[in-house]
Amino acid sequence: VETGILSAWKTSGGHRRIPLSEIERVLAQRGEGIGLGYPQAKFRVLLAEDDAPTLKLYVRKFSSWNLPLEIISAEDGYSALLLIAKTKPHLIILDLRMPRMDGYQVIKAIRGDKDFDHVEIIVITGAAGVQPTSKLPSDIVIFKKPVDFARLNGYVEACLNRQMGAAGARAKPSA
């Protein structure tokens, strides 16, 4: 405004008001446009983990990724299932070994409901060997503990782009 690139006016209180048309004009001149970036809607991620410090770590890491995520957390499988029905997440990340209802039971319930066919599921497990994960459906993505957060970040961003629309995705600056 001070350099004359944007036209604006001042309120009686001295605040500047810039018309949207002015911003659109300048962005068009630069070859940019409004609407670049992720959609305004949040990508809902449900995290189900019974270990409170681990759950807190996941929430902190996810919040640092500069993605439009809404994090919903559950401390066990039963709570996760109730929250899934209530919040309708786009992505579910869960531990296999949890009290009240384990990850296998949660997955079976989700996959048994056609309303949740589109929901992607990631299992994070510390279980050793192939036996515990061999009982999972083939579309379940498995991350072993300790989690490689850079890899998980990439996978979550790919899920976001697939479900929220790749056309609305922006290039994420490297961290």
Side-chain angles (χ1 to χ4, degrees):
V1 172
E2 295 297 328
T3 62
I5 295 172
L6 286 172
S7 297
W9 55 278
K10 279 189 181 181
T11 65
S12 58
H15 300 281
R16 297 197 190 285
R17 297 292 183 246
I18 304 168
L20 179 59
S21 60
E22 278 297 293
I23 295 170
E24 289 172 338
R25 180 185 59 77
V26 170
L27 289 175
Q29 287 174 347
R30 293 181 178 178
E32 301 172 13
I34 293 179
L36 295 177
Y38 287 115
Q40 291 293 343
K42 295 277 186 167
F43 184 74
R44 288 180 305 283
V45 178
L46 184 126
L47 294 169
E49 170 62 60
D50 62 314
D51 182 64
T54 302
L55 182 59
K56 189 175 179 178
L57 171 67
Y58 292 162
V59 170
R60 190 173 66 242
K61 284 288 193 180
F62 277 55
S63 298
S64 74
W65 289 344
N66 196 27
L67 296 173
L69 304 177
E70 177 183 341
I71 308 298
I72 304 150
S73 59
E75 68 278 354
D76 60 52
Y78 182 76
S79 299
L81 208 52
L82 292 175
L83 285 168
I84 290 165
K86 182 179 177 183
T87 64
K88 302 197 180 349
H90 299 97
L91 174 64
I92 299 167
I93 300 175
L94 51 93
D95 191 8
L96 286 179
R97 297 180 187 164
M98 293 183 290
R100 295 178 72 191
M101 180 182 278
D102 67 22
Y104 298 106
Q105 293 168 306
V106 173
I107 291 168
K108 184 177 180 182
I110 294 167
R111 289 300 185 238
D113 187 334
K114 65 181 172 93
D115 290 338
F116 295 102
D117 285 347
H118 67 284
V119 176
E120 298 197 45
I121 301 173
I122 296 174
V123 164
I124 297 179
T125 183
V130 79
Q131 180 65 15
T133 57
S134 65
K135 296 187 264 181
L136 294 171
S138 62
D139 66 323
I140 304 296
V141 174
I142 302 163
F143 279 80
K144 298 282 186 181
K145 290 181 182 175
V147 176
D148 177 346
F149 284 105
R151 188 170 155 245
L152 183 58
N153 179 348
Y155 190 81
V156 169
E157 187 167 7
C159 291
L160 185 154
N161 288 335
R162 270 194 305 276
Q163 290 198 19
M164 302 299 274
R170 62 150 166 82
K172 183 176 160 271
S174 57

